[in-house]
Amino acid sequence: MSGAVNGANSTKISHHVQPADVTLSVNDMNTRAERTDRADESIPEVDAARLLLILNHFAGPINEADRLQSWFPLREVERHFTPEYYLHKLDFLVRYPGYFAYELIELYQRETFDTQQRLDLTTLVRRVLHEREPELLTQPYRRFWRGAYERLDEVEAWWYARGLVYTRGEARGDAPPQKHYFLTSKAQEVASQLVEHVEHARWYAERIALIHGYFGSYSAAQIKAFQYSHEAYRNAQLNETIPDLDLTLIDRHFEQVFGEPLGVSLEAV
Amino acid sequence: MKPSEITQVSPLTADQIEIIEGVLGKLTARTQDRTSREEVEQVVRSLALEETRPTTKAPVLQVTRLRFAGQKYLDGQAPQLFEYNQTFASGVNVICVPDNDVGKSSILKTIKFALTCDDDYDNDVKSWITDIWLTFRLNQQLFTVVHTLRDGHRAALVAQEEARPFQDVVDNGATLFEGDSSEEVRVKLQEFFFRRLGLEKLSWAHSDAHYPLPVERSVSWRTYFQALYIPDNADEYLLVDDKHATGNQGGLILSALLGLSLTRPLNRLGVEMSLARKELAATQKAGEVSVSAAQAEMAELSDCIEGVRRALNELSDKQAQRRKVLLDPQAGTRLPQVLAQQSVEQRLIHSLQEERQAIGRELRAQRVRLKRLEEAIALRLHFTGLEVELCPSCDHDVDADAISRERETHTCRLCGKPAQEANSDELEQFRQESALITQNIQENEQGRRDLAKRLEERQQVSTQLAAEVTLLQQVASQSLDDVLPTPEEQAQTEAFYLQLGQLTAALNDAKRRANPPKDQEEVLDRAAFTRSRVRDYLQAEAEKRNQSLLTQLSQLTQNAARTIGAESFSDVTCSALGTVALKKHGEPVKFTTIRNQGERLRIKLAFFLAMMRLGRQMGAGRHPGFLIIDQPGSGEMVAEDFLALAGIFHELDQSNGGELQIITATARPEFSAATAPEKVYGPNACGRAF
């Protein structure tokens, strides 16, 4: 299977909100008349929920020195996450199960696994492919200057208006400002309730937990480097959706690394 | 055929006619087809129906002297040479040694062994005895049978009293017979006594696991002797032990000894009937096995024949196809046509494959979209209660008035502009779109299945066209010779036809074996049936003729039985076939089911005595008037009954004089009353019998 999941009649949605600009109105958030690309349109609640779960899992304690910064929020916050591209790279692994499976195989080559851990890893890879996740669950991502990127203005405004996550930009001279995400206590509550009540959110939470478990010790730059190592990713055109990996490539790589066949049918559903 | 060669059939006697008519007259509508007059006549003609009543009584057998010698080995004692030498008189003889295990039974067993070669000695006694001289009388003629057991068993019979060692007897050359082995001696003794006593060679049909068909066996002299010998505690059977109970040998012996009417023909018919039935059963069983095996073989052969025919047809089709293509006048133009057709099919297949892939892609996109919509609906509903509280633009809290205004007038709580009722509408749109996509997915899946089916059909057509192209291309490069059968194909065809012929012949043979002719079974069945009917008739006739004799047997037995304490037996009868029936308190009982051992012994004793007395009557039986009884009256016989038994013996001794001889052995001194004092023989000096 090749190519991104892209409907024959896809239409594009344009985002006019600049990075770190959170002045989008509620009306804009609720208006859908301008949406022409139904196939991959961004639905704020979906993205907000998914990204909230990522932040909730990966955010760390607040550095006390940051509290003195001008960009630190005035409202009460509890945890902190930065930078924005790290969020995109993690979101990419959630939205591209094929890449996730491939990175797991690569992980086995980089690190040491005991027998049980090896078995867990191979089982996970096989499960991802057996359940057709690359075909059924891939959500296309657009390529920007630094790889997978989509504007998060609507999402950030959505969070902000509900008191979940405050987004602040740290000026860095001529360089683009660095985004900081500050999570409130309410964010953790809302994330927990999401997982408890919404089945789709449970899947996201489980996947994010796996990503955290296997790749949590890697830096944002390292994660980015892993993704850039793929030719399809590197060669994706600017502002075009990044194509998914060929399943036969994953199959071959699995057998090459683990010395045993994948044993999963790759016939298209 | 010359007149002299024509077999003369003698006319039927009145008896034969009567029997034939009697048998045929008893046939019913159901059974009359199972035999015919000719068959009944044939059986009746084969029987010796004449009652050849002997004009003289059977010879009396009496032992006059028993002598045996050897070396005795008793525990704790040195080997002792011994010799037993005792004369016996006619009438009742009592060996009385008031102790057990002193050799009384061995004396009696030695008499039996000397007369029959039946050896049931205890092993120790058997090893002691080296030589035996038994002098006996048949009527007035004396004979001595001399046995030597040194270095095997040899024996000789002389017609005089003899006391010399065996070798001297033989060297003398005046022997009536000599035997160099136990088996030879046994056979010669049997021939001698059968001839001298005029005993019938009666037989029965014996089934043996080693032979497929039953064989005819005759009653032996040793078995006859069981009617002349009552061992100690022999209460398990009336006349013959279990080993000799097959084929109604007891009945045969009784019939012969009593001289029952029609014994010979009844025995003959019984044997032939039994042989026929057993052979019929064996034939049927063999037939069943054979038929079953033949049927299995038929099925297997049929499969093989079918396989060969299929192979022949395939070969033939292959050759026909080649010929058809080559001989087809259109063959030359056919190839480009087929190639064109193949090209069209391939383009069509390619188009279908692309279409299927396109549907696949659309399906995947639809599934992704459907999942996204379902997520959106679920999350939208979940977040319904999550209110907007802050303005992301100015970072001010939304005040309560703005919230109320939004609810009442639908103006945005943040910017005051009219708010669109988009949420519920959008949710409904999501739902409708979701339903529509679900329907589209189902339609696409069906469409893809239909495409797959069409694709498969086209691929089959394409495969056939490819095969035809190959063939046409081959043909184009060939000549006529190439389509004729090749030498290999010819050889293969010939081999198939040969195999077919062999298989067909084998199948026919199996069919024949699966449906065997019933002739043989029918013949055997008719033979058995005819004989059984003739036997039934003769048996009824014999019952009438034997009535008087059997009544006497019954009375004699009952009287004797009552005298010795078996009063409860009200009836002792014997059929024409010699089968003994008892009644106790008026109820039929079998001898072996009488629980009391003493009762059994008393009945047996009474029966033997009655048999002996009756068998001595003129014109009746062939009983030699000789009886050996080991420990008479053992088995709970009370003193009074024992004395009564002694009284019976005494009476026999007195009344029958030289006509009978009974030799008994007992440990009970009171039995001396059974005979005259000079015929009571006590222990030797050591207190033993010998």
Side-chain angles (χ1 to χ4, degrees):
Chain A
M1 177 184 154
S2 63
V5 176
N6 199 353
N9 299 314
S10 61
T11 53
K12 298 188 190 306
I13 298 175
S14 57
H15 292 268
H16 298 293
V17 179
Q18 296 300 312
D21 181 349
V22 293
T23 57
L24 192 68
S25 70
V26 170
N27 278 347
D28 286 340
M29 282 190 286
N30 291 330
T31 300
R32 293 286 175 263
E34 296 82 7
R35 306 284 179 215
T36 55
D37 183 353
R38 300 297 294 181
D40 63 349
E41 68 176 305
S42 174
I43 304 175
E45 291 87 349
V46 175
D47 296 329
R50 186 184 71 251
L51 293 167
L52 177 64
L53 291 173
I54 294 175
L55 288 178
N56 187 53
H57 211 107
F58 281 84
I62 292 171
N63 191 336
E64 290 307 311
D66 290 342
R67 289 186 187 274
L68 302 173
Q69 301 299 328
S70 61
W71 41 264
F72 195 85
L74 297 172
R75 296 181 181 273
E76 193 66 33
V77 291
E78 290 205 347
R79 288 183 292 149
H80 170 241
F81 179 93
T82 195
E84 184 191 5
Y85 85 88
Y86 186 34
L87 181 60
H88 286 298
K89 298 303 173 266
L90 294 172
D91 193 29
F92 180 80
L93 284 177
V94 174
R95 288 163 64 168
Y96 279 74
Y99 276 87
F100 172 60
Y102 193 97
E103 290 309 323
L104 288 174
I105 301 170
E106 287 286 276
L107 192 66
Y108 184 75
Q109 294 193 98
R110 281 196 296 271
E111 299 193 10
T112 307
F113 286 79
D114 63 28
T115 309
Q116 184 60 47
Q117 288 168 335
R118 182 187 188 279
L119 181 62
D120 292 341
L121 199 66
T122 53
T123 304
L124 177 55
V125 172
R126 286 182 168 124
R127 175 159 65 90
V128 167
L129 292 167
H130 175 71
E131 292 179 6
R132 302 283 195 264
E133 287 189 11
E135 293 164 80
L136 300 174
L137 301 181
T138 299
Q139 298 174 45
Y141 226 128
R142 292 195 183 279
R143 167 77 200 276
F144 206 60
W145 297 114
R146 287 180 288 178
Y149 173 82
E150 284 175 348
R151 292 180 71 101
L152 299 179
D153 303 342
E154 284 192 34
V155 172
E156 289 163 3
W158 195 92
W159 285 335
Y160 204 107
R162 289 157 179 81
L164 302 175
V165 180
Y166 304 129
T167 308
R168 309 304 278 170
E170 177 190 351
R172 293 189 299 173
D174 294 333
Q178 178 168 333
K179 262 194 196 165
H180 293 264
Y181 296 97
F182 293 94
L183 280 72
T184 65
S185 59
K186 191 177 174 187
Q188 186 156 3
E189 279 172 36
V190 169
S192 298
Q193 283 168 6
L194 251 182
V195 173
E196 188 182 333
H197 296 297
V198 182
E199 190 184 333
H200 301 279
R202 278 198 285 278
W203 185 88
Y204 284 125
E206 187 202 307
R207 181 52 49 89
I208 292 164
L210 285 169
I211 293 169
H212 185 265
Y214 284 108
F215 302 103
S217 58
Y218 290 98
S219 68
Q222 284 173 312
I223 301 282
K224 186 176 86 170
F226 296 156
Q227 291 168 13
Y228 261 97
S229 68
H230 295 280
E231 193 177 337
Y233 186 100
R234 269 198 319 276
N235 295 338
Q237 296 299 306
L238 201 65
N239 216 30
E240 294 293 328
T241 56
I242 298 171
D244 200 359
L245 288 178
D246 191 326
L247 293 180
T248 56
L249 173 70
I250 303 175
D251 185 10
R252 276 199 308 273
H253 196 50
F254 183 99
E255 188 161 352
Q256 197 178 356
V257 168
F258 291 106
E260 60 193 60
L262 182 65
V264 174
S265 168
L266 300 180
E267 210 173 294
V269 294
Chain B
M1 187 185 282
K2 293 180 187 172
S4 59
E5 291 172 345
I6 298 171
T7 305
Q8 293 280 347
V9 178
S10 56
L12 291 165
T13 65
D15 278 349
Q16 287 174 330
I17 292 171
E18 187 184 335
I19 292 169
I20 292 166
E21 293 300 332
V23 170
L24 293 172
K26 283 196 181 331
L27 295 176
T28 64
R30 265 198 327 164
T31 57
Q32 64 187 5
D33 290 334
R34 291 183 67 185
T35 189
S36 65
R37 174 178 282 277
E38 289 70 30
E39 287 167 275
V40 173
E41 184 180 318
Q42 190 181 7
V43 168
V44 171
R45 279 184 183 278
S46 71
L47 297 172
L49 291 170
E50 60 284 355
E51 293 273 34
T52 48
R53 294 269 179 204
T55 55
T56 59
K57 289 185 188 177
V60 173
L61 169 64
Q62 294 191 357
V63 171
T64 58
R65 180 188 292 275
L66 173 64
R67 178 179 162 228
F68 59 90
Q71 192 164 27
K72 205 187 286 190
Y73 301 89
L74 293 172
D75 282 343
Q77 297 180 30
Q80 297 170 16
L81 288 171
F82 70 88
E83 182 174 301
Y84 179 84
N85 194 345
Q86 179 64 58
T87 58
F88 295 95
S90 64
V92 177
N93 296 261
V94 177
I95 301 169
C96 185
V97 182
D99 208 344
N100 292 322
D101 235 11
V102 291
K104 296 191 293 294
S105 296
S106 297
I107 292 171
L108 301 182
K109 286 176 183 177
T110 305
I111 295 174
K112 183 173 81 163
F113 175 75
L115 291 175
T116 65
C117 265
D118 193 355
D119 165 16
D120 61 350
Y121 284 115
D122 292 339
N123 285 339
D124 54 347
V125 173
K126 186 175 171 181
S127 65
W128 297 345
I129 299 174
T130 55
D131 300 277
I132 303 170
W133 295 259
L134 182 83
T135 304
F136 61 93
R137 187 203 317 276
L138 286 172
N139 287 343
Q140 300 310 313
Q141 175 69 54
L142 274 177
F143 300 92
T144 302
V145 59
V146 184
H147 295 263
T148 181
L149 299 169
R150 303 168 194 265
D151 301 324
H153 180 196
R154 298 171 64 194
L157 182 71
V158 294
Q160 62 197 39
E161 181 148 8
E162 184 59 71
R164 289 176 295 172
F166 172 82
Q167 197 54 53
D168 291 349
V169 171
V170 166
D171 290 343
N172 189 44
T175 59
L176 295 180
F177 72 71
E178 290 167 32
D180 291 324
S181 68
S182 289
E183 182 58 23
E184 194 180 351
V185 174
R186 182 192 68 77
V187 169
K188 292 209 169 148
L189 281 171
Q190 176 168 295
E191 284 171 3
F192 173 79
F193 281 106
F194 269 34
R195 194 171 59 249
R196 292 293 177 137
L197 295 178
L199 287 173
E200 293 283 1
K201 196 175 180 205
L202 298 173
S203 50
W204 78 97
H206 179 76
S207 293
D208 191 317
H210 296 99
Y211 301 98
L213 294 174
V215 294
E216 191 173 341
R217 292 255 180 101
S218 298
V219 183
S220 68
W221 166 234
R222 292 208 294 196
T223 308
Y224 265 109
F225 204 84
Q226 289 203 29
L228 311 181
Y229 181 92
I230 304 180
D232 185 17
N233 285 328
D235 57 282
E236 300 293 326
Y237 53 91
L238 180 60
L239 196 57
V240 293
D241 54 27
D242 285 342
K243 191 175 155 191
H244 300 92
T246 53
N248 191 29
Q249 290 179 73
L252 296 177
I253 291 168
L254 191 60
S255 303
L257 292 178
L258 292 180
L260 296 181
S261 289
L262 300 174
T263 298
R264 261 201 308 166
L266 281 172
N267 179 244
R268 191 73 248 142
L269 284 169
V271 169
E272 288 176 5
M273 188 179 77
S274 184
L275 281 173
R277 280 196 181 137
K278 288 182 180 178
E279 191 179 341
L280 174 63
T283 303
Q284 283 173 334
K285 190 175 174 190
E288 281 166 14
V289 170
S290 177
V291 163
S292 177
Q295 284 171 343
E297 206 179 315
M298 272 172 66
E300 200 181 323
L301 286 167
S302 296
D303 285 344
C304 290
I305 288 173
E306 189 53 41
V308 172
R309 285 202 176 123
R310 259 200 312 272
L312 269 172
N313 286 340
E314 280 168 13
L315 198 55
S316 176
D317 286 345
K318 201 166 127 187
Q319 293 162 4
Q321 182 71 8
R322 290 207 304 264
R323 275 196 306 276
K324 180 184 164 190
V325 170
L326 182 70
L327 299 176
D328 183 357
Q330 305 294 326
T333 54
R334 179 78 184 134
L335 181 58
Q337 286 174 358
V338 175
L339 283 170
Q341 217 174 330
Q342 193 184 28
S343 176
V344 166
E345 282 297 324
Q346 281 169 354
R347 280 201 299 277
L348 183 56
I349 287 169
H350 183 71
S351 162
L352 288 171
Q353 283 170 338
E354 281 190 348
E355 195 180 334
R356 189 175 65 171
Q357 282 170 11
I359 292 180
R361 285 195 294 274
E362 192 174 339
L363 269 171
R364 287 190 288 279
Q366 285 171 334
R367 289 192 186 114
V368 169
R369 177 65 185 166
L370 181 62
K371 184 176 183 306
R372 199 151 168 76
L373 286 170
E374 287 169 350
E375 272 184 31
I377 292 167
L379 288 167
R380 179 68 60 85
L381 287 171
H382 178 75
F383 286 134
T384 305
L386 197 60
E387 294 276 353
V388 170
E389 297 168 348
L390 294 174
C391 176
S393 180
C394 64
D395 197 28
H396 282 123
D397 291 345
V398 175
D399 61 38
D401 290 340
I403 294 171
S404 299
R405 192 173 57 246
E406 186 183 88
R407 286 187 185 139
E408 288 162 13
T409 64
H410 300 290
T411 50
C412 175
R413 66 178 73 181
L414 291 178
C415 64
K417 293 180 185 170
Q420 294 191 12
E421 292 287 339
N423 279 349
S424 59
D425 287 347
E426 196 170 40
L427 203 58
E428 186 53 32
Q429 281 173 15
F430 285 163
R431 288 196 177 112
Q432 286 176 2
E433 189 185 346
S434 174
L436 187 63
I437 289 177
T438 302
Q439 189 184 339
N440 287 342
I441 287 173
Q442 288 170 356
E443 287 168 3
N444 275 335
E445 282 173 343
Q446 182 59 46
R448 192 166 63 168
R449 282 193 289 272
D450 293 340
L451 265 176
K453 197 172 163 192
R454 283 174 58 198
L455 200 52
E456 193 185 333
E457 288 165 4
R458 297 331 310 166
Q459 280 167 341
Q460 279 176 2
V461 170
S462 178
T463 303
Q464 286 167 0
L465 288 172
E468 195 179 347
V469 162
T470 306
L471 187 60
L472 287 169
Q473 284 170 340
Q474 260 177 1
V475 166
S477 63
Q478 286 172 348
S479 65
L480 186 62
D481 287 342
D482 293 318
V483 299
L484 291 174
T486 64
E488 292 77 22
E489 285 173 344
Q490 281 177 344
Q492 210 173 7
T493 303
E494 280 172 23
F496 280 144
Y497 276 118
L498 181 66
Q499 195 180 2
L500 200 57
Q502 289 168 343
L503 288 170
T504 305
L507 180 63
N508 289 338
D509 180 60
K511 276 182 186 168
R512 185 185 48 75
R513 281 183 281 113
N515 295 288
K518 295 290 185 189
D519 298 350
Q520 180 61 16
E521 286 180 19
E522 195 178 338
V523 165
L524 290 170
D525 181 63
R526 291 178 78 88
F529 179 78
T530 305
R531 279 153 182 78
S532 77
R533 286 311 167 104
V534 174
R535 187 172 180 240
D536 289 345
Y537 184 88
L538 286 182
Q539 190 169 338
E541 182 59 29
E543 299 281 354
K544 289 183 214 164
R545 297 185 193 180
N546 295 326
Q547 182 67 41
S548 168
L549 191 65
L550 295 177
T551 302
Q552 288 182 63
L553 175 70
S554 176
Q555 281 172 353
L556 283 171
T557 306
Q558 284 175 59
N559 290 342
R562 275 193 214 110
T563 304
I564 57 176
E567 297 88 353
S568 56
F569 286 87
S570 58
D571 202 7
V572 178
T573 56
C574 179
S575 74
L577 299 178
T579 308
V580 176
L582 302 170
K583 276 190 184 172
K584 186 174 176 183
H585 299 302
E587 292 299 318
V589 294
K590 286 187 181 176
F591 179 81
T592 49
T593 60
I594 301 170
R595 290 192 180 179
N596 188 289
Q597 182 200 23
E599 242 181 354
R600 289 199 299 273
L601 274 174
R602 286 194 277 283
I603 287 292
K604 182 163 178 164
L605 202 52
F607 185 77
F608 269 60
L609 290 173
M611 194 170 50
M612 183 176 69
R613 291 169 76 170
L614 206 55
R616 295 298 311 153
Q617 285 184 14
M618 174 75 78
R622 312 307 302 162
H623 200 293
F626 178 74
L627 203 54
I628 299 176
I629 305 175
D630 195 351
Q631 305 283 4
S634 59
E636 303 173 14
M637 193 180 275
V638 299
E640 185 185 332
D641 292 338
F642 191 60
L643 283 175
L645 178 64
I648 291 175
F649 276 57
H650 187 83
E651 189 206 329
L652 280 171
D653 182 60
Q654 295 291 305
S655 62
N656 287 79
E659 287 284 306
L660 304 171
Q661 185 184 47
I662 298 175
I663 302 177
T664 73
T666 181
R668 296 172 73 167
E670 60 268 37
F671 202 70
S672 307
T675 189
E678 63 273 20
K679 289 193 280 186
V680 178
Y681 316 109
N684 62 12
C686 302
R688 300 185 65 84
F690 69 91

